[in-house]
Amino acid sequence: MADEVILLDFWPSGFGVRARIALREKGVEFEYREEILRDKSPLLLQMNPVHKKIPVLIHNGLPVCESMNIVQYIDEVWSDKNPLLPSNPYQRAQARFWVDFIDTKVFEPADKIWSTKGEVQEKAKKEYIEALKILESELGDKPFFGGDIFGFVDISMTGYYMWFEAFEKCGNFSIEPECPTLMASAKRCLQRDSVVKSVPDPEKIVEFAFKIRKIYCV
């Protein structure tokens, strides 16, 4: 009997896209169910009663929540193809460290870039570039954070890479001159087949970002 795999998600979500990419990297067939976040489905509320957020992976009726927890679960369950986390314990710990850095030091200013203006936005842009430069230093001259392998940290960052254009247009700044090596890796990631099939058109994300800015009265 085949596994039943359902993903509760929202199309522009940089967190949801991580699960989509991981499933496609592993070649896992799944049913995608789009959520309307202002009118959450009974299934979402049932499967994630604590946070009531997407993404939620439902594997044979059992829910797994939080994006990178889902990615790790996918890596462990479908372990026969395309490992996403290194086998070395130290390297695994380092990968988790950088994902935590991304979801704190990158997320907070990124969120403010498209939802604020003026001094708050200017400060957020500075903090955002500073965080990206730290990541660029960690990347070094490697094609991916996982070395030659597209892996755990790359999947985490791809959720931000797909929003780069929206951030730039909302904040009226450019990332590539500040972080050329990181941008080269971002372009490499965005060209992967699993990513192309998972990431929305950048213009749609830009349009969505400006629509949300209006809701925030920005």
Side-chain angles (χ1 to χ4, degrees):
M1 183 176 175
D3 285 339
E4 181 187 53
V5 183
I6 299 169
L7 182 64
L8 307 183
D9 201 353
F10 178 48
W11 69 268
S13 171
F15 298 105
V17 80
R18 295 166 167 180
R20 288 173 242 164
I21 293 167
L23 288 165
R24 290 185 170 116
E25 281 288 320
K26 296 287 188 173
V28 178
E29 294 292 328
F30 66 98
E31 178 186 347
Y32 177 92
R33 294 192 189 178
E34 181 77 4
E35 286 287 331
I36 301 172
L37 299 188
R38 63 180 177 275
D39 185 20
K40 297 172 184 177
S41 72
L43 183 60
L44 174 59
L45 299 177
Q46 176 191 348
M47 291 294 169
N48 191 0
V50 176
H51 295 301
K52 303 177 176 63
K53 293 179 179 179
I54 56 90
V56 179
L57 182 76
I58 307 172
H59 182 208
N60 294 332
L62 299 175
V64 184
C65 305
E66 299 298 306
S67 63
M68 294 311 292
N69 188 42
I70 292 171
V71 172
Q72 185 167 339
Y73 177 84
I74 291 167
D75 195 36
E76 292 174 357
V77 171
W78 292 279
S79 59
D80 58 327
K81 182 181 179 183
N82 289 358
L84 303 176
L85 270 158
S87 58
N88 178 279
Y90 177 76
Q91 291 175 348
R92 288 169 75 89
Q94 288 298 101
R96 293 191 192 99
F97 171 87
W98 285 111
V99 165
D100 180 71
F101 176 88
I102 290 163
D103 282 345
T104 53
K105 299 299 184 181
V106 177
F107 171 77
E108 291 178 10
D111 189 54
K112 290 177 182 176
I113 287 172
W114 62 270
S115 64
T116 66
K117 61 182 177 180
E119 290 183 10
V120 175
Q121 189 191 59
E122 290 302 313
K123 182 182 178 184
K125 287 192 293 184
K126 182 179 178 182
E127 291 175 354
Y128 184 64
I129 291 296
E130 286 174 355
L132 293 184
K133 284 183 175 180
I134 291 171
L135 285 166
E136 184 172 68
S137 178
E138 169 60 20
L139 177 68
D141 59 1
K142 304 187 296 291
F144 302 108
F145 284 98
D148 292 326
I149 298 171
F150 175 82
F152 197 64
V153 181
D154 303 290
I155 288 175
S156 174
M157 272 304 292
T158 301
Y160 291 92
Y161 294 155
M162 76 180 208
W163 271 80
F164 269 6
E165 186 173 337
F167 293 146
E168 289 177 326
K169 289 187 175 178
C170 288
N172 191 29
F173 73 119
S174 183
I175 295 168
E176 188 162 14
E178 300 283 354
C179 304
T181 305
L182 182 68
M183 184 60 84
S185 184
K187 291 176 182 177
R188 217 171 279 123
C189 291
L190 290 168
Q191 290 169 356
R192 286 185 71 82
D193 187 56
S194 64
V195 176
V196 170
K197 291 176 179 177
S198 302
V199 169
D201 185 287
E203 284 303 317
K204 281 187 68 179
I205 299 174
V206 170
E207 183 181 337
F208 174 79
F210 277 95
K211 182 178 178 181
I212 297 298
R213 279 175 71 80
K214 288 182 180 179
I215 294 173
Y216 278 101
C217 300
V218 177

